[in-house]
């Protein structure tokens, strides 16, 4: 079976989720306000980076103006100034659309803060599987997260190290331990979903494709009420789910 085969519903949700973000390269999260021209990475712009659905991050900002240090020329002795100087020494760039390397880190942190209530991907999953920062951006996040957004520093560093909670929506997944950023595999374990529709259907199959178990209809022909729980085993070949909402690991 190979890569994740995403259904239309999940694809639509994914499109909403990643507005202003990128699956690679140096585009996204959303650059500054589209009503103004995008600032150059070396220009004099002082506009605050835009938000991906949020209204603020750990260091202020929001829509009320530029927070201290978020422009292209923050004070040299500020956390932003020190990160920008380090980025210059190392040759790290955030890409077009950001006033400075520090502005990029602020934007990622603001996006993480805005994701309360999102039921499609965990924060770490968004960072590694949707935003997919390149080597320069990963270096900026590692160097700047602890000072610029201490609330999300552990989330950022752990996600960059491949340690984050993986949630699964519609699709077909082979069984295994995925590398960071790989969304085609499901980790063996027990998962629960509570936001399913009446059309929910899931299946566990063996390596030959034979169905081992399926739901939510039970052996008695009854569809259970409430959350659904399924255990995906390491010996399974694949797990598929349609219209069942988001499966999250059970602690």
């Amino acid at each position: 079976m190979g890569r994740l085969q995403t259904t239309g519903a999940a694809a639509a949700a994914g499109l909403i989720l990643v507005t202003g973000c990128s699956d690679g390269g140096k585009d996204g999260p959303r650059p500054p306000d589209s009503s103004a021209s995008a600032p150059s990475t070396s220009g004099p712009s002082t506009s605050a980076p835009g938000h991906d659905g949020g209204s603020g991050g750990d260091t202020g900002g929001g829509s009320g103006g530029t927070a201290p240090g978020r422009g292209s020329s923050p004070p040299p002795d500020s956390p932003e100034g020190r990160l920008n100087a380090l980025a210059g020494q190392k040759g790290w760039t955030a890409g077009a659309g950001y006033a400075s390397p520090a502005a990029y880190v602020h934007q990622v942190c603001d996006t993480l803060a805005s994701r309360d209530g999102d039921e499609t991907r965990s924060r770490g999953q968004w960072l590694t599987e949707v935003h997919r920062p390149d080597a320069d951006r990963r270096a900026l996040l590692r160097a700047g997260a602890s000072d610029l957004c201490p609330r999300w520093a552990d989330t950022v560093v752990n996600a960059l190290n491949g340690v984050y909670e993986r949630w699964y929506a519609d699709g077909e997944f082979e069984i295994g331990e995925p590398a960071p950023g790989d969304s085609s595999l499901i980790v063996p374990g027990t998962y629960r979903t509570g936001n399913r529709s009446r059309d929910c259907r899931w299946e566990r199959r063996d390596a030959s494709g034979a169905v081992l178990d399926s739901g939510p209809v039970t052996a008695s022909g009854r569809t259970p009420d409430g959350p659904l729980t399924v255990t995906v085993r390491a010996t399974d070949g694949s797990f598929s789910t349609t219209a069942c909402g988001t499966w999250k690991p059970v602690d």
Side-chain angles (χ1 to χ4, degrees):
M1 269 167 269
R3 303 290 300 179
L4 163 66
Q5 306 297 314
T6 308
T7 67
L15 285 173
I16 295 172
L17 173 67
V18 301
T19 299
C21 303
S22 168
D23 288 336
K26 291 187 181 293
D27 298 322
R30 182 183 299 167
D33 188 355
S34 59
S35 64
S37 60
S40 165
T41 55
S42 59
S45 171
T46 57
S47 61
H51 296 276
D52 188 14
S55 58
D58 299 290
T59 55
S63 57
T66 303
R70 289 194 176 218
S72 60
S73 300
D77 59 347
S78 66
E80 290 84 358
R82 290 192 294 270
L83 178 62
N84 291 343
L86 178 63
Q89 295 168 9
K90 300 289 188 179
W92 301 333
T93 61
Y98 299 98
S100 67
Y104 163 71
V105 175
H106 274 304
Q107 177 61 71
V108 169
C109 294
D110 287 351
T111 302
L112 293 173
S114 76
R115 296 182 61 76
D116 287 338
D118 189 281
E119 289 294 319
T120 56
R121 293 180 179 87
S122 69
R123 287 180 169 90
Q125 212 171 0
W126 171 81
L127 181 61
T128 59
E129 297 179 10
V130 178
H131 180 49
R132 300 177 67 89
D134 64 12
D136 280 8
R137 287 181 168 183
R138 292 171 73 90
L140 290 171
L141 291 169
R142 287 184 185 278
S146 61
D147 286 334
L148 303 189
C149 60
R151 179 185 177 190
W152 303 114
D154 286 346
T155 298
V156 168
V157 173
N158 287 338
L160 294 178
N161 290 336
V163 180
Y164 56 91
E165 193 170 84
R166 290 172 169 86
W167 301 350
Y168 300 91
D170 288 9
E172 186 171 343
F173 309 87
E174 294 184 345
I175 314 302
E177 294 287 344
D182 184 358
S183 58
S184 68
L185 302 179
I186 186 170
V187 180
T190 299
Y191 296 85
R192 180 175 294 127
T193 181
N195 55 346
R196 61 191 171 94
S197 75
R198 295 176 59 184
D199 298 322
C200 169
R201 177 73 176 178
W202 60 264
E203 291 183 340
R204 292 173 45 232
R205 294 177 177 268
D206 65 17
S208 70
V211 176
L212 299 170
D213 194 9
S214 64
V217 179
T218 64
S220 63
R222 176 177 173 273
T223 300
D225 297 324
L228 300 176
T229 301
V230 63
T231 297
V232 177
R233 305 186 186 282
T235 53
D236 292 352
S238 67
F239 174 73
S240 63
T241 174
T242 303
C244 293
T246 301
W247 296 91
K248 298 181 181 181
V250 176
D251 294 334

